[in-house]
Amino acid sequence: MSRIAVLIVAAGKGERSGRAKPKQYESLQGKPMLRWSVDAFGDRPMRVVIGPGQEDLYAAALPGFGPPIIGGARRQDSVRLGLEALAKDAPDFVLIHDAARPLASPQVIGNVVAALEAGAKGAVPMMAVADTLRRRDGAGWVTVPRDNLYRAQTPQGFAFADILSAHRQHAASDVTDDVEIAALAGLKVESVAGGETNLKVTTESDFALAEKLLGGESVTAMGYDAHRFSEGDHVWLCGVKVPHDQGLLGHSDADAGLHALTDAVLGCIGAGDIGQHFPPSDERWRGAPSWKFLDHAARLVAEKGGRIVHCDVTLICERPKIGPYREAMRVRIAEILGMDMARVSVKATTTEGMGFAGRREGLAAQAVATVRL
Ligand code: CTP
Ligand code: MG
């Protein structure tokens, strides 16, 4: 099997988009554009090139993804610097992709990979131009024949050593994609079928289109959990350590909030419940931090091609007081799920002294999650 690395270029400023942040860090359906572009490539080895000063935006968009590469002034500089950083791994091929294309389908990526594996030195997804094309000519317009005109998309795939040397050799030329650099170096590039929906988000109107294309069917499910109070000086709730004059009894860290949410997420894809995935009889999960359970459920959703677009947790207890920790809980859940905090809600209520929560024997949590498939 040939080794294929992915290079995502995300070092632009997105000036034409008119957004406050560089466009690749803006949210689409509750997830940063850059993350969509990265997720499209699944588990392939991947590096991301970002602009100087974009480190915080990058860390927020792709928590724990590994160090970024710092790019340059022009797209081609960012690509070249990215390729130089990959050089020590010496992959056979590299797929170079714009972070501004969050809709690359498995099919388009597969077309590029298939061409490379069949022996092509380069492969580019192309779409025939369907609209009539006109060029402005002084006060009027001139129609440009559209026969044989194509639009080039990314990912563009190349034999790694060849494209690296082409970029080094032709760094002084001004180009808009890597096929042009390859052509300058005399590299033959094969064209494969692109995708109509593989759009490059450039202007404000592209955002609305991308939002539509990324939307799908949505499914909602709920989860519930309760734990008994025991001796201790803190409890874990929604991934946050909360000081308290009692602890919670449980096989793991007894985080009822995350357990309820994990069950809600699993429920959206009909994947059973937390006990099935992490049996209390299994010693591996003794004292385990519950974010691992939620992370596992979120991965199962991603494997099914879904994404969590909203979640809402209600904690039911007399004590501890949740208010002071609520925002930290939202931040933590958003971090675990890689979501926009605006789509994560944490609430709390007492039961006015009634029932087990009212008698302070324990606490409970319920959660609702919505997944778009
Ligand atoms: N890009 C890059 N380094 C640059 C310029 C662009 O890595 N110096 C990346 C962008 O982040 C984007 C891709 O190249 O993913 C395509 O560029 P484009 O769509 O032009 O994005 P921007 O340059 O950010 O947008 P604009 O031209 O409107 O400023
Ligand atoms: Mg640009």
Side-chain angles (χ1 to χ4, degrees), residues 220-243:
T220 296
M222 66 164 293
Y224 175 86
D225 191 34
H227 281 276
R228 184 183 288 277
F229 281 125
S230 65
E231 300 263 295
D233 60 7
H234 69 272
V235 296
W236 282 94
L237 287 173
C238 294
V240 173
K241 189 175 179 178
V242 178

Side-chain angles (χ1 to χ4, degrees), residues 236 250-254 282-290 293:
W236 282 94
H251 184 64
S252 64
D253 63 6
D282 190 331
E283 277 308 304
R284 271 183 304 168
W285 312 120
R286 178 173 296 283
S290 295
F293 307 154

Side-chain angles (χ1 to χ4, degrees), residues 15-102:
E15 276 161 350
R16 283 170 290 174
S17 75
R19 294 281 178 119
K21 280 186 263 184
K23 61 189 176 187
Q24 61 273 28
Y25 304 107
E26 290 280 349
S27 193
L28 290 169
Q29 294 287 356
K31 184 163 120 176
M33 190 190 304
L34 171 60
R35 193 165 170 139
W36 283 107
S37 306
V38 163
D39 286 352
F41 291 86
D43 286 339
R44 292 187 185 278
M46 205 176 325
R47 295 290 301 274
V48 179
V49 185
I50 65 166
Q54 295 178 355
E55 290 82 355
D56 290 349
L57 290 167
Y58 169 79
L62 287 174
F65 196 73
I69 301 159
I70 303 300
R74 302 170 300 171
R75 181 188 181 280
Q76 70 196 80
D77 300 320
S78 299
V79 173
R80 192 184 64 254
L81 291 163
L83 293 173
E84 296 286 2
L86 284 178
K88 63 174 182 321
D89 303 329
D92 299 317
F93 299 110
V94 60
L95 305 180
I96 305 171
H97 185 62
D98 290 336
R101 289 187 193 269

Side-chain angles (χ1 to χ4, degrees), residues 43 50 83 118-119 127 138-139 144 154 166 201 205-206 208 224-225 237 247 304-305 309 312 339 352 355 368:
D43 286 339
I50 65 166
L83 293 173
M127 292 299 292
V144 179
T154 73
V201 177
S205 65
D206 297 328
Y224 175 86
D225 191 34
L237 287 173
K304 289 208 183 282
V309 294
D312 182 27
M339 287 170 68
E352 303 281 343
V368 173

